[in-house]
Amino acid sequence: MSVRTLPLVFINLGGEMLYILDQRLRAHNTSEDNSEKGVWSEVDRKRVMNDIVGTMFSKNFMDELLKPQQLYSHRTMKTVLTRLAHTSIMRLNPASMDRLYELMIMAFKYQVFLCPRPKDLLLISYNHIDTIREFVKDTPVVLNQVDETHRKIIEVYSSLSEGEFQLLRQTLLIFFQDMHVRVSLFLKNRVQNPNGRFALSTSGPVPHGIDVPGLIRTFDCKGKEVSRAEFPTGGCYTSPIREGSFLLHGDRVSALGLNMYTVNHLEETHTSKTPTVKQQADDTPNLLAKEELNLLARLMGSMKAENMPKAETVFRINLFTTDREEEEEEEEEQARASGGAGQSLYEVINIQAMQDEQAATELALIAGQFAKGEEKPENSESNKGDDLLAMMDDL
Amino acid sequence: MYHKEKSIQIKNSASALYNNLSVMRIAPRRLTYFTVVHANVVNMITASWDGLNYSHRQLQSKEPNVATSTSLIMQAAFCALPSRDLLVVTSQKGIQMYESDGSIMVYWHALDTPETPTAQAVFGRGISAVRENFICVGVSAGAILVFDIPSKGSNITLSEILEEHNESITDMASECSGSQECIADLVSADDGGNLCVWKSGEEFQLLNKISGFDMSCSSVKLWKGTVVAGYGTGQIRFYEAVTGILHAEVNAHARWIYSLDIAPFSGLLLSAAEDSLVRVWHLTLTPETNSVEVAHLHNECVTDTQICGAKFCDGDGYAFAVTGYDLSEIIRYTQS
């Protein structure tokens, strides 16, 4: 399948991640607690955004993504995105990361599914980039990186044909296949049905470049039109609206890829699994193929946070109102499942370590980096983490 | 005109790939085979005509070795030749051919994959049986591989490589009317919407090349010398194969067409697209003028589903089956 998916995957998934983080971090400012201590200030929030965007749009990372390669598993994507999130001072616990990933994936799936023409995947990506620019507009260095990356994306993708974009889209759709997590914001806006599937309308404007269905024309040997007839389409289609801009700046016209989360709606990032969703029980050992491991190592390696001071304290954050009990239940489930085909991140990484000498070293490095973030003891002088957790419990 | 029947449940959902449903009727045993592709697996269902018995089988794409990642399957299609039936599966790594019941793999052809990935994806797509003993398979670089199939056994050989297309092959079809008088045997389509019309033989002969308009032709059929082509613009175009004359054009769908099928005995045409609609048409060909009349007969809407496969279950078009992205069932319709 397509070997050009990764840059768009990271820009869009990363973009969704930033939208959600932005909303969640802002929300903590509106706590009824009113205590100054332990609240994420505007400065903190901007810093988190700048750190993550700076790493995501760094030349090294983008260059790695732009190399032609396959789209691998969710496990790899999640690992890299977690590492991206942790290039900031923020630390997400596994439950938060899982929820965050679900939200990101479902949002991107929705955008790709409803994408009117395959080429509009670029407009969706540019919407994300435009909004990311807004997040970092006060930091010229990072803003410049975003612009540079945008230019590179335009350069690389402008020459793809519609057929190649459709292949890209099909590759993404396979990646999202069978995921039907319900998102309260989508359910509320009726873009998603209670069974987790997205609503597809048979009315409205047709995509740019497509004719409104309903016409049958016949021609003679010389190409002259001989007859025309109409047929009932079963839908209610109208002429296309204007085309969005594919340039560095411009009106993208499509709303897909814009920030759906507003500050006032905390509950909109609530997700729930559909009751009838079939969990694909994978009985195979689920080896991370060597190619995939190599990609993971390269991406992690390219994310060296050069500007991060060594003695930085990190702040744990519980992003979503997960009950204590629910968290514990999830941990139990992970422990149970890890006996067989490991569901938890740690389990799989440990198993892989035994298959291949080189892979073992690489993975140990990666796991080590990941573990460092999680297990770092909280600085007793900083209260942000503790107070946040307390705040989340009160909500 | 048609009503919905009981759906067939499949073990996985269908992937968003062109022409993602293949159907083969085994009349002597009163069975129908269906295949639906899901990522790196082909789901094969055998259904008895009385609707009482269903059996399932899954075929995996062949992995050269465990160190490489799984190979995604692009297409699975039944090829009916006079002497035997085969199931052909194309993936990122190569082409597999099985006995039509999926029991034994009789042939494997590896695609040339470069050591370091290039910007161009590598895969096989576009499968068609041609005349007595050929199976043609398209590849992403634009070439068409012609395989010579013996009447039995696994001594299948690569007979020829046709290089006319510059873009990835999307679909191929052979003349399905059963008429021996038609000059054109095969039509191939690519991502640029270009169509090539061929005559089969020890050496295949290019009869005509019909230029596309930079829009992918995702599905193509050949019936009584007329090429029926479905495009990403939602249009269906009807060309006279040998001359390339455009006889009819239908603004059929509001989104990308994913599948076309023709019932050769009745001239019924089935079209399905990402817009969630399946449409049934009737084609009338006038031999003297080679003109085509297209009449619209019926619509079916599969709510909230981007359809990826639609095929008639018999030569008269009495019944048809539909698959959709993320849908774990084959939906069936029968004439009322």
Side-chain angles (χ1 to χ4, degrees), chain A residues 35-72:
Chain A
S35 73
E36 285 306 311
K37 208 169 55 164
V39 170
W40 286 82
S41 69
E42 173 126 348
V43 171
D44 290 326
R45 184 171 46 79
K46 287 214 163 155
R47 192 168 159 198
V48 167
M49 302 305 264
N50 279 315
D51 284 343
I52 298 176
V53 175
T55 312
M56 204 166 98
F57 285 81
S58 73
K59 186 174 184 317
N60 286 343
F61 189 61
M62 269 300 151
D63 282 347
E64 280 299 332
L65 293 180
L66 282 163
K67 290 181 184 160
Q69 59 207 320
Q70 303 291 332
L71 177 60
Y72 293 111

Side-chain angles (χ1 to χ4, degrees), chain A residues 356-371:
Chain A
D356 184 322
E357 278 299 318
Q358 197 209 359
T361 348
E362 281 173 319
L363 274 169
L365 268 172
I366 295 164
Q369 279 183 316
F370 189 69

